[in-house]
Amino acid sequence: CISVNPDTGKEYHEPSEDYVITFNKNGDVVYISLCIDEQDTDLICPAERRFWYNDMGLNTAIDHVMDFGVGDLIYDTYYTYDPDNSRRLKGEIYDEDEKLTGIENYVYDNDGHLLKKEICSSDGELSEEIIYDPYMNITQINEYFKGRLSGMTSNVYDECGRLLLSTVCTADPSDKMEIRHTDTYEYDERGCLV
């Protein structure tokens, strides 16, 4: 359901899921509260994200808080934009001690469509490349450790842009990619995930 709050805008809550999304009066997401189920560890951790915007409506910062039961993981991401066309150029990720821990770079084609987002830890050991199709769907995520491809996620969408198939692979010791799991998604006649 979506409810409207006169001070903050809209709030969205999916009863079957453990998350709430709050919007400001402009329709921008300002707060997300969710519960992350870590399948590998059977750990369920609450997470919160707060979003900050400038006067032009561009997202300039995100505050992240995740509770793993042994202490919070807190980090902030700050974004810079191209002043000529408002494209996001870079994100800087800082830990709770305000130490730079990662950089995000954004790559666009000549028409201004986002092609990929590259994320790299400040020590250069971990990196991630997120590749988009022309409709801004994430088609592939490549994960690297010390320059070596260590994991990959591939997504397939239908003509309406709905995710149909997501395959996660990890590299074995010989760098061969092995399928870890594949998730399939189905939708009802209204386009809602079933």
Side-chain angles (χ1 to χ4, degrees):
C1 67
I2 295 178
S3 59
V4 177
N5 180 318
D7 296 323
T8 60
K10 299 176 186 173
E11 184 173 283
Y12 175 82
H13 178 72
E14 178 62 46
S16 63
E17 301 291 335
D18 292 327
Y19 67 87
V20 174
I21 303 172
T22 305
F23 301 84
N24 65 16
K25 293 177 185 178
N26 298 327
D28 302 316
V29 174
V30 293
Y31 176 78
I32 298 176
S33 173
L34 65 146
C35 195
I36 299 171
D37 184 359
E38 295 290 339
Q39 296 176 358
D40 295 339
T41 62
D42 294 326
L43 175 69
I44 297 178
C45 63
E48 294 181 351
R49 290 187 179 147
R50 295 188 190 279
F51 299 79
W52 305 95
Y53 299 87
N54 65 14
D55 293 338
M56 294 176 54
L58 300 174
N59 175 222
T60 56
I62 302 175
D63 299 334
H64 308 264
V65 178
M66 295 171 56
D67 179 3
F68 288 104
V70 294
D72 291 345
L73 170 65
I74 300 171
Y75 63 98
D76 299 317
T77 306
Y78 299 97
Y79 299 106
T80 56
Y81 292 84
D82 184 327
D84 294 329
N85 55 31
S86 301
R87 285 188 212 137
R88 185 179 287 175
L89 298 176
K90 182 177 170 183
E92 294 181 340
I93 304 165
Y94 293 87
D95 66 13
E96 62 186 307
D97 297 323
E98 298 182 16
K99 177 184 171 196
L100 181 65
T101 59
I103 299 286
E104 298 177 357
N105 288 304
Y106 297 81
V107 178
Y108 299 86
D109 66 15
N110 291 334
D111 294 324
H113 301 108
L114 182 63
L115 294 176
K116 65 182 175 178
K117 175 170 104 173
E118 300 166 328
I119 307 168
C120 186
S121 61
S122 58
D123 61 10
E125 290 199 358
L126 299 172
S127 63
E128 183 176 78
E129 175 184 53
I130 302 171
I131 301 170
Y132 298 86
D133 69 12
Y135 306 105
M136 293 301 298
N137 296 313
I138 296 174
T139 58
Q140 191 166 322
I141 301 172
N142 298 321
E143 299 170 353
Y144 299 90
F145 179 70
K146 295 186 177 181
R148 180 183 146 262
L149 184 63
S150 59
M152 180 189 316
T153 301
S154 298
N155 298 321
V156 176
Y157 300 86
D158 67 11
E159 64 278 356
C160 296
R162 295 177 295 208
L163 182 61
L164 297 176
L165 185 70
S166 182
T167 303
V168 176
C169 301
T170 55
D172 67 12
S174 67
D175 291 337
K176 179 182 174 196
M177 284 294 170
E178 296 180 346
I179 294 176
R180 190 164 164 216
H181 64 84
T182 298
D183 296 319
T184 57
Y185 301 89
E186 295 180 20
Y187 301 87
D188 63 19
E189 61 278 355
R190 296 177 301 156
C192 296
L193 185 63
V194 292

